[in-house]
Amino acid sequence: MRITQHDIARKANVSQSTVSRVLAGDAKVDASLRRRVQEVLEAENYFRNARAAGLRKRSSAQVGVVLKRPARSLEGDPFVSVLVSCMTEVLRPADYHLCVEVASSSAEQAHIYEQLLRSDRVDGVVVLEPEMRDARFAQLLEDRFPFVVVGDPGEVAVPSVDNDNVMAGALATRHLLEAGCARVGMIAGPDEVRFSEDRIRGYVQAMRAAGQPPRVWHSAFGPRAARETARRAFDEDAPPDALVVLDDAMALGAVSEAQRLGLRVPEDLALVGFNDSGLCELVEGGLSSVALNIEDLIRKATEELLEMMRGRKPIRRTRELVPCSLVARRSSARGGRA
Amino acid sequence: MRITQHDIARKANVSQSTVSRVLAGDAKVDASLRRRVQEVLEAENYFRNARAAGLRKRSSAQVGVVLKRPARSLEGDPFVSVLVSCMTEVLRPADYHLCVEVASSSAEQAHIYEQLLRSDRVDGVVVLEPEMRDARFAQLLEDRFPFVVVGDPGEVAVPSVDNDNVMAGALATRHLLEAGCARVGMIAGPDEVRFSEDRIRGYVQAMRAAGQPPRVWHSAFGPRAARETARRAFDEDAPPDALVVLDDAMALGAVSEAQRLGLRVPEDLALVGFNDSGLCELVEGGLSSVALNIEDLIRKATEELLEMMRGRKPIRRTRELVPCSLVARRSSARGGRA
DNA sequence: CTGTTAGCGCCTTCAA
DNA sequence: TTGAAGGCGCTAACAG
């Protein structure tokens, strides 16, 4: 049995409500009483029971986040680590805690959301990987439940924070053009994948602005698929001398294929990836990459959620784009305009 | 304001405790009453308030896990994703939830543990990255708080689940020996790192058993450091024709150095890494790797914790080793005994 | 079998 | 300023 305010009250010879007041920092408690109580609190190493306090205050001091894990692909996703770190980093000073759930299907996801909200286990949620006509939004809005979307929620009027993927695509492309590359191509992801499409838009914009014809190859995710795609690209009549590649892992696939063909990086092929992940180290001299500043994104989203939970901010359409930045390494060091 | 059992009771024209009984599946509720209540529950989409139930039952139906994030190294750690997935996978069917905390220093970590336990926010914890004389154990044991250590807790008598790193080292080594490699070396981690030392022991055992002299190079973590170390190894008089490398990322560093020197993999240099991570795909034909079956490990640990929380198992010394397995790919395909 | 009652530990009026 | 009392929503013992 844990120690309660009642126990403290007895030992300090005051009423339990006085103990509660001292803990709350109530200014109108007599100094001597306060000291007595605080000494006992210290001595007994008292911590307030979170559940009881929450029951009374009608709040859990917890926020939730629901990950989606397609089927059984447990392959360590580095994003989760960043998500958890950044969220707790913001939540902790505000005395909030993080409850993480994992859904393996859409049906389960829906149930988890419902349970999370209606059982009052959390005071707010961060919604990941929004889908086009996302059933979660209606439910959350109807319940007036505080939430923030990370990603692109589409047309619905909800609070969201996102990368600027268009800018990211343009940034990578301009960088290669400025390095003097003559035929900058892009290896993108599968069709209809939102962030891929956005980066393509940025790429195309930048190419058009430079008066160059864009050239995009679609590829499945992963380094292996990207290697195959790169092979197709190098097989063409006028193969690219630079590639913007959808992410770092895929860029490594392209590098590996280039090496197989005896192409030198960056002399024969310059590359820029996305995410600025640890993978960039795997290329000798480093892989240039667009840092999406996911950390900032998560922190922003969490801060906004906090504001909403505190009732200082209404739950309404809001769209913040976190700027990205280019980390130049050897893979794109072609040295000035050709 | 959320809907309560009281509301349900009124609408079904029964007492609130009957509602509670129906929810608890109490067999001795009359069938007609039960149906009436269940209809209302359904209609109102009732979910039990987790806090209130917990307060009464003296349990939170939550377990905690505290990650340690040294300073500001947010670099996405893929382990976190696996940890969270596997824990929730086991917890969910048991109706438990996961509360994740992140500590950036030892002091903060201690405080988080104390708060987590004493504020009764969770019913049990999974303890990661145990240290040699870990202050957490004493505290947890004294409070009779359910916990399981993932990793090697050393001499203290606590429940733990761990990889079999010795076996892992031996497995990798034997595999290379059986492939006909003549001089199998090992690139290990920094001194005194427990799992590295254990894998070295396995390596040495296997080499001795084969009548071969072991040769170990110590290296800092990361592919870059491993590349330097590999260079030193290749510089020796009788360079290794095969390497057991502490992890996949470091193995990639070695591969990259080998390629630079014109060595073919696996003909001139065979390799085996550890973790069977996604990085293995980055080597053409694949990097052979020892799968540590972290998923099993986490699931085992979580299951044991559940048992302890349910009071079906005491909190005492327990040490379970999860077996590992070798995933052979092209990087070690030397084709039978030479 | 069902309803009434008594808390779980805390916060917060309301009187004193 | 302090203490007594009520109630957050729920479970469980006790009557009936």
Side-chain angles (χ1 to χ4, degrees):
Chain A
M1 187 74 311
R2 208 115 284 157
I3 186 158
T4 73
Q5 291 186 2
H6 208 90
D7 303 329
I8 304 291
R10 266 212 324 272
K11 304 213 184 201
N13 205 24
V14 296
S15 81
Q16 181 258 333
S17 30
T18 299
V19 176
S20 179
R21 288 194 185 101
V22 170
L23 284 165
D26 190 327
K28 37 190 191 318
V29 182
D30 190 84
S32 70
L33 276 200
R34 149 169 294 120
R35 267 217 322 136
R36 233 162 64 211
V37 170
Q38 271 168 340
E39 270 165 21
V40 182
L41 285 170
E42 198 97 357
E44 301 291 329
N45 195 17
Y46 171 85
F47 276 76
R48 163 204 277 115
N49 180 312
R51 269 195 306 287
L55 178 59
R56 182 58 233 243
K57 291 197 290 201
R58 320 180 110 94
S59 85
S60 62
Q62 294 194 147
V63 326
V65 64
V66 182
L67 305 173
K68 196 159 166 188
R69 180 198 49 157
R72 188 114 176 164
S73 74
L74 289 172
E75 47 180 270
D77 180 350
F79 170 70
V80 177
S81 158
V82 173
L83 178 80
V84 167
S85 293
C86 293
M87 285 191 71
T88 54
E89 181 183 325
V90 174
L91 293 176
R92 165 153 289 278
D95 269 315
Y96 273 90
H97 297 254
L98 179 63
C99 191
V100 180
E101 305 277 344
V102 179
S104 50
S105 68
S106 279
E108 197 181 25
Q109 188 191 39
H111 182 252
I112 289 177
Y113 266 92
E114 182 149 53
Q115 177 174 318
L116 213 49
L117 309 201
R118 308 204 56 117
S119 68
D120 243 29
R121 190 177 286 282
V122 299
D123 297 340
V125 289
V126 168
V127 176
L128 303 176
E129 305 171 45
E131 288 161 16
M132 274 307 98
R133 296 160 44 78
D134 206 309
R136 292 172 287 181
F137 300 148
Q139 191 185 349
L140 288 161
L141 287 169
E142 187 185 355
D143 284 8
R144 297 170 171 283
F145 202 88
F147 73 104
V148 176
V149 174
V150 166
D152 188 344
E155 298 312 312
V156 273
V158 297
S160 69
V161 183
D162 200 358
N163 295 122
D164 194 339
N165 281 312
V166 178
M167 174 186 170
L171 204 59
T173 311
R174 280 203 302 270
H175 174 66
L176 288 169
L177 289 168
E178 281 164 13
C181 300
R183 291 180 310 283
V184 180
M186 172 165 185
I187 294 185
D191 265 340
E192 311 249 337
V193 172
R194 192 109 189 183
F195 75 90
S196 173
E197 295 297 317
D198 284 348
R199 288 179 199 168
I200 291 176
R201 271 171 51 210
Y203 160 77
V204 171
Q205 280 174 18
M207 292 297 277
R208 291 262 158 76
Q212 305 276 343
R215 183 71 179 90
V216 175
W217 290 270
H218 285 274
S219 166
F221 291 116
R224 189 144 35 184
R227 165 182 289 150
E228 302 305 322
T229 309
R231 184 168 311 176
R232 279 180 12 233
F234 298 146
D235 266 356
E236 303 216 345
D237 286 343
D241 68 339
L243 282 174
V244 171
V245 189
L246 186 67
D247 67 38
D248 292 336
M250 292 170 72
L252 286 183
V255 166
S256 154
E257 177 66 12
Q259 283 176 339
R260 206 182 59 84
L261 297 176
L263 297 173
R264 292 161 309 161
V265 172
E267 291 80 4
D268 303 319
L269 181 75
L271 293 110
V272 176
F274 292 81
N275 286 352
D276 189 31
S277 64
L279 297 176
C280 294
E281 275 196 50
L282 294 174
V283 172
E284 187 156 9
L287 172 68
S288 299
S289 190
V290 178
L292 295 172
N293 301 324
I294 303 287
E295 291 88 352
D296 287 347
L297 194 160
I298 305 289
R299 279 191 283 256
K300 276 267 169 40
T302 311
E303 276 157 13
E304 225 176 279
L305 181 60
L306 271 180
E307 294 292 296
M308 287 171 36
M309 291 189 306
R310 289 162 165 160
R312 307 175 50 76
K313 214 172 191 175
I315 308 173
R316 56 180 178 69
R317 168 175 245 126
T318 250
R319 180 147 182 81
E320 189 159 355
L321 289 183
V322 174
C324 52
S325 47
L326 192 128
V327 180
R329 299 202 179 84
R330 189 153 178 282
S331 76
S332 62
R334 199 83 140 260
R337 347 194 130 263
Chain B
M1 186 72 313
R2 206 116 285 156
I3 185 159
T4 73
Q5 291 186 1
H6 207 91
D7 303 329
I8 304 291
R10 264 210 327 271
K11 305 212 183 197
N13 205 23
V14 294
S15 80
Q16 179 257 334
S17 34
T18 298
V19 177
S20 178
R21 287 195 187 98
V22 170
L23 284 165
D26 190 327
K28 33 192 198 311
V29 181
D30 189 84
S32 70
L33 276 200
R34 146 169 298 120
R35 268 215 324 133
R36 233 162 64 212
V37 170
Q38 271 169 341
E39 269 165 22
V40 182
L41 285 169
E42 199 97 357
E44 302 290 329
N45 195 15
Y46 171 85
F47 277 75
R48 164 202 276 115
N49 179 311
R51 268 195 305 287
L55 179 58
R56 180 59 233 233
K57 289 198 290 199
R58 321 179 105 93
S59 84
S60 61
Q62 294 195 147
V63 324
V65 63
V66 182
L67 304 173
K68 196 159 165 188
R69 182 197 47 158
R72 190 114 174 164
S73 74
L74 288 174
E75 45 180 272
D77 179 350
F79 170 70
V80 177
S81 158
V82 173
L83 178 80
V84 167
S85 294
C86 292
M87 284 192 72
T88 54
E89 181 184 327
V90 174
L91 292 176
R92 163 153 290 279
D95 270 314
Y96 273 88
H97 297 254
L98 180 63
C99 189
V100 181
E101 306 278 342
V102 179
S104 50
S105 67
S106 280
E108 197 182 24
Q109 189 191 38
H111 183 254
I112 288 177
Y113 265 92
E114 182 148 51
Q115 177 173 318
L116 213 48
L117 308 202
R118 307 205 55 120
S119 68
D120 244 29
R121 191 176 284 283
V122 299
D123 297 339
V125 289
V126 167
V127 176
L128 302 175
E129 304 172 45
E131 288 161 15
M132 275 305 101
R133 296 160 44 77
D134 205 307
R136 292 172 287 180
F137 300 148
Q139 192 185 347
L140 288 160
L141 286 170
E142 188 185 357
D143 284 8
R144 296 169 170 284
F145 202 87
F147 73 104
V148 176
V149 174
V150 166
D152 188 343
E155 297 312 312
V156 274
V158 298
S160 68
V161 184
D162 201 357
N163 296 123
D164 194 340
N165 281 312
V166 177
M167 176 188 170
L171 204 59
T173 310
R174 279 204 301 270
H175 174 67
L176 288 170
L177 289 169
E178 281 164 12
C181 300
R183 289 179 312 284
V184 181
M186 172 166 185
I187 295 184
D191 266 339
E192 310 247 338
V193 173
R194 192 108 189 184
F195 74 89
S196 172
E197 296 296 317
D198 285 348
R199 288 179 198 168
I200 291 177
R201 270 171 50 211
Y203 161 75
V204 170
Q205 279 174 18
M207 290 298 276
R208 290 262 158 77
Q212 303 276 344
R215 182 74 179 88
V216 175
W217 290 269
H218 285 273
S219 166
F221 292 116
R224 189 142 37 186
R227 166 182 287 149
E228 303 304 323
T229 308
R231 184 167 311 175
R232 281 184 5 238
F234 299 145
D235 266 357
E236 302 217 344
D237 286 342
D241 67 340
L243 283 174
V244 171
V245 190
L246 186 67
D247 67 38
D248 292 337
M250 292 171 72
L252 286 182
V255 166
S256 154
E257 178 64 14
Q259 285 175 337
R260 206 183 58 86
L261 296 176
L263 298 173
R264 293 161 307 161
V265 172
E267 291 80 3
D268 304 319
L269 182 74
L271 293 110
V272 176
F274 292 82
N275 288 349
D276 188 30
S277 64
L279 297 176
C280 294
E281 275 197 51
L282 294 174
V283 172
E284 186 156 11
L287 172 68
S288 299
S289 189
V290 178
L292 295 173
N293 301 324
I294 303 288
E295 291 88 352
D296 288 346
L297 194 161
I298 305 289
R299 280 192 282 255
K300 276 268 170 39
T302 312
E303 277 157 14
E304 227 176 278
L305 181 61
L306 271 180
E307 293 292 297
M308 289 171 34
M309 292 189 306
R310 288 160 165 166
R312 307 175 49 76
K313 214 171 190 175
I315 308 171
R316 56 179 178 70
R317 167 175 246 123
T318 250
R319 180 147 183 80
E320 189 158 354
L321 290 183
V322 174
C324 51
S325 47
L326 192 127
V327 181
R329 299 199 180 85
R330 188 153 178 283
S331 77
S332 62
R334 199 84 138 260
R337 348 194 127 261

